Amino acid sequence: MSVMVPSAATALPLTPFRYEAQARRHCLGDTVVWLDLRTEVYYLKRQKRYGHGSTGSFVCQNEARAGGFRRSLLGIR
């Protein structure tokens, strides 16, 4: 399932997943991140907000970057 997510940057298709394991199977050779669609920020696994929130999904980091989403610099454990 591909989803177009509106963004200030040029939006590219993302493949969002509800579960991290699904994303890991899809994102072979890439890092799985938690993308907060509301704030357009993604979080790495070591960050506090990874996997939290009702407005997010697990996606491939390269897809998030290509879609114009930015990495969070806050919340590093």
Side-chain angles (χ1 to χ4, degrees):
M1 167 177 82
S2 286
V3 174
M4 290 297 290
V5 180
S7 171
T10 304
L12 297 175
L14 287 172
T15 308
F17 295 95
R18 182 174 182 182
Y19 301 107
E20 183 179 10
Q22 294 170 316
R24 278 196 312 262
R25 285 190 297 271
H26 173 78
C27 301
L28 298 176
D30 195 4
T31 302
V32 173
V33 298
W34 176 257
L35 175 61
D36 185 330
L37 298 167
R38 185 179 54 78
T39 63
E40 300 182 352
V41 172
Y42 66 85
Y43 300 90
L44 301 171
K45 189 165 186 148
R46 68 181 183 268
Q47 293 179 290
K48 293 178 183 178
R49 293 188 182 174
Y50 180 85
H52 295 285
S54 61
T55 62
S57 293
F58 293 101
V59 299
C60 304
Q61 185 176 24
N62 288 336
E63 289 181 10
R65 284 181 177 166
F69 299 99
R70 66 191 192 285
R71 181 174 64 97
S72 172
L73 300 176
L74 303 174
I76 302 285
R77 290 187 206 177

